[in-house]
Amino acid sequence: MSIRYIGQKLAQHIDDELMSASGAFSLDQLMELAGLSCAQALAKAYAPTTHRRVLVCCGPGNQGGDGLVAARHLHHFAYTPTIYYPKPGAKELYSRLVRQARNLDIEVLGPDADFGQALAQADVVLDAIFGFSFQPPVRAPFDRVLDLLAAAPTPIVSVDIPSGWGVEAGRQPLYAADPAAPDSKGRTVATLDPEVLVSLTAPKEGVREFKGRHYLGGRFVPDALAAKYELNLPTYPGTDQVVELDAGHAKL
Amino acid sequence: MSIRYIGQKLAQHIDDELMSASGAFSLDQLMELAGLSCAQALAKAYAPTTHRRVLVCCGPGNQGGDGLVAARHLHHFAYTPTIYYPKPGAKELYSRLVRQARNLDIEVLGPDADFGQALAQADVVLDAIFGFSFQPPVRAPFDRVLDLLAAAPTPIVSVDIPSGWGVEAGRQPLYAADPAAPDSKGRTVATLDPEVLVSLTAPKEGVREFKGRHYLGGRFVPDALAAKYELNLPTYPGTDQVVELDAGHAKL
């Protein structure tokens, strides 16, 4: 039985179910565990001795929140993270997560920061920009951010779906929204090719063809929920919050 | 520099500071990480192959909440936990944590359960009854529970302070409150001698003389807070949520 690759709608549904009255999880809990998974996966792929400086790129939604949590854990794991968070989301939780990061002296870069310079100083990037609810087009400033990430030699660890890939359609050139003419599709955004992917809860359809190291995180899915949606989740080792998907798991 | 053993007042103060506006942590977050630490420490000391059945004894306060979280993670770590929770606390979070456990088919025993029978069927006990805010006397039903735990051959993993020990005074016989005469000190409660201790955030003064395996958990204390209170925390290994305190750490 191979692991199931899920679509956008089911991913959203599972998330909703976990946080429903019957699932009983709070966003604080799930984000803490998801972010910890991301930090652990990065640590498995890149040691702090060789890749100390981590640029954590956070989008405006819940995946950005996972990134904020991951940055905090990476600090405790002996990395030196920098957070790039140009469009902070509105939820109160996000501002608390930023505060927690600042309390560790983690630098938090806003919209006026020089992203190119921050990228040049990083040993590895955690891409927590777009998650399973992403809908194109890619809006500023992330169009330029993706272009710079794609052009840089810095290895990338993407969360759930490489930012810019279709959640179901996968690796493909996407269009950037032109602020001067929102309907224009005049410019494509460069496509990311991360070395490492951390799928949360279950991998998404768009990453079927992903060729790099692939981890699964989110060791909190109830067995009954996994059975109901036939997720066929693999066994996590020991007390790890991530499991690496090998060929036997990752291929259908 | 040896790790600092902290008193009841400072333990409470650090907890308050973490959850203050400036600390910015929610109880959901801290309890999730604390409970995960407890589950990981138990897993380091007792493998699920030899100690599958874990009786998680939860008190009415926040330490009971840590126990509820730990039970959930233990389930995911391939143990079969049973929760004993005779006096559920009032916080809404606790009822959600119980629900999350029930969603994994973890049995939750209430005040009418036969504790002795549950104990007889367990391979190891996680003692999350009383934490750093404990004040004697020990009230029913926990007086009888401590007597049964102390008499049983089952190994015990205690969280923060072995239940019944003084948070500062340490290992000593404590008095049970007699429901018929609350001021009476007519009966002492048996003293627990756990094999394993998981101190959260920093060890408490009462466990200086603890002789078993001693883990520290709570890998979320900001460096500035640790420095301010001269906690002299040890370095956690890898991405672990616990660190074992050896002779060099544990002795002053």
Side-chain angles (χ1 to χ4, degrees):
Chain A
M1 293 282 269
S2 298
I3 195 168
R4 179 171 176 191
Y5 287 73
I6 64 175
Q8 191 159 35
K9 208 168 152 181
L10 181 53
Q12 185 62 56
H13 188 79
I14 290 174
D15 223 41
D16 292 345
E17 200 162 320
L18 287 167
M19 286 189 279
S20 69
S22 67
F25 280 99
S26 68
L27 182 59
D28 280 49
Q29 281 184 289
L30 290 183
M31 201 166 272
E32 194 62 37
L33 295 174
L36 179 58
S37 296
C38 297
Q40 250 200 20
L42 186 143
K44 284 190 183 286
Y46 304 98
T49 42
T50 56
H51 293 75
R52 187 175 55 78
R53 300 169 303 174
V54 187
L55 180 59
V56 181
C57 300
C58 298
N62 279 347
Q63 183 166 107
D66 297 342
L68 296 174
V69 171
R72 174 162 40 82
H73 287 290
L74 286 168
H75 168 91
H76 290 299
F77 296 167
Y79 295 84
T80 304
T82 297
I83 292 169
Y84 175 66
Y85 197 34
K87 285 180 97 65
K91 286 179 190 161
E92 181 259 354
L93 171 56
Y94 301 150
S95 55
R96 285 195 292 104
L97 295 175
V98 167
R99 185 68 181 259
Q100 290 164 24
R102 288 194 198 273
N103 285 348
L104 302 177
D105 292 327
I106 296 173
E107 191 177 12
V108 183
L109 304 174
D112 299 329
D114 183 340
F115 180 79
Q117 192 189 341
L119 178 57
Q121 290 168 356
D123 300 313
V124 58
V125 168
L126 182 64
D127 158 31
I129 299 175
F130 299 129
F132 65 74
S133 44
F134 171 69
Q135 297 282 4
V138 177
R139 295 178 194 283
F142 297 110
D143 47 357
R144 186 174 134 75
V145 165
L146 293 190
D147 284 346
L148 287 169
L149 286 176
T154 319
I156 296 170
V157 178
S158 283
V159 180
D160 236 14
I161 189 88
S163 291
W165 289 30
V167 176
E168 296 180 351
R171 189 185 188 287
Q172 56 175 12
L174 284 176
Y175 293 94
D178 177 352
D183 291 329
S184 135
K185 292 188 167 181
R187 197 175 78 75
T188 55
V189 173
T191 308
L192 289 198
D193 281 304
E195 288 189 359
V196 177
L197 178 67
V198 194
S199 291
L200 295 173
T201 308
K204 311 306 171 293
E205 284 177 7
V207 302
R208 272 181 206 275
E209 305 303 325
F210 177 74
K211 304 288 186 223
R213 293 183 74 172
H214 189 176
Y215 294 90
L216 179 70
R219 196 175 184 177
F220 48 68
V221 178
D223 318 292
L225 193 150
K228 180 168 147 191
Y229 297 115
E230 297 176 326
L231 300 182
N232 302 324
L233 299 179
T235 303
Y236 286 74
T239 63
D240 283 1
Q241 295 298 304
V242 290
V243 52
E244 186 162 5
L245 301 179
D246 59 25
H249 288 123
K251 302 248 160 55
L252 274 183
Chain B
M1 294 283 270
S2 297
I3 195 167
R4 179 171 176 189
Y5 288 73
I6 64 174
Q8 192 158 34
K9 207 167 153 182
L10 181 54
Q12 185 61 58
H13 187 78
I14 289 174
D15 223 42
D16 291 345
E17 200 163 320
L18 287 166
M19 287 188 279
S20 69
S22 67
F25 279 99
S26 68
L27 183 60
D28 280 50
Q29 281 183 288
L30 290 184
M31 202 166 271
E32 194 62 36
L33 295 175
L36 179 58
S37 295
C38 297
Q40 249 199 20
L42 187 144
K44 283 190 183 284
Y46 304 99
T49 43
T50 55
H51 292 76
R52 187 175 55 78
R53 301 169 303 175
V54 186
L55 180 59
V56 181
C57 300
C58 298
N62 280 347
Q63 184 166 108
D66 298 341
L68 297 173
V69 171
R72 172 161 42 81
H73 287 290
L74 286 168
H75 168 91
H76 290 299
F77 297 166
Y79 296 84
T80 304
T82 298
I83 292 169
Y84 175 66
Y85 197 34
K87 285 182 99 64
K91 286 180 189 159
E92 181 259 354
L93 171 57
Y94 301 150
S95 56
R96 285 196 290 105
L97 294 176
V98 167
R99 183 68 179 261
Q100 291 163 22
R102 287 194 198 275
N103 284 349
L104 302 177
D105 291 327
I106 296 174
E107 191 177 12
V108 182
L109 305 175
D112 299 330
D114 184 339
F115 180 79
Q117 192 189 341
L119 179 57
Q121 290 169 356
D123 301 312
V124 57
V125 169
L126 183 65
D127 157 30
I129 299 176
F130 299 130
F132 65 74
S133 45
F134 171 69
Q135 297 282 4
V138 177
R139 294 177 194 286
F142 296 110
D143 49 356
R144 187 175 134 75
V145 164
L146 293 190
D147 284 347
L148 288 168
L149 286 176
T154 319
I156 297 172
V157 178
S158 283
V159 180
D160 236 15
I161 190 89
S163 291
W165 289 31
V167 177
E168 296 180 353
R171 190 184 187 286
Q172 57 175 10
L174 284 175
Y175 294 94
D178 178 352
D183 291 329
S184 136
K185 291 189 166 181
R187 199 176 76 75
T188 55
V189 173
T191 307
L192 288 199
D193 281 304
E195 289 189 359
V196 177
L197 178 67
V198 194
S199 290
L200 295 174
T201 308
K204 310 305 170 294
E205 284 177 7
V207 302
R208 273 180 206 274
E209 306 301 323
F210 178 75
K211 304 287 187 224
R213 292 183 75 172
H214 189 176
Y215 294 90
L216 179 70
R219 196 177 185 176
F220 48 68
V221 178
D223 318 291
L225 194 149
K228 180 169 147 191
Y229 298 114
E230 296 175 326
L231 300 182
N232 301 326
L233 299 179
T235 303
Y236 286 74
T239 64
D240 283 2
Q241 294 298 305
V242 289
V243 51
E244 186 163 5
L245 301 180
D246 58 25
H249 288 125
K251 302 248 159 58
L252 274 185

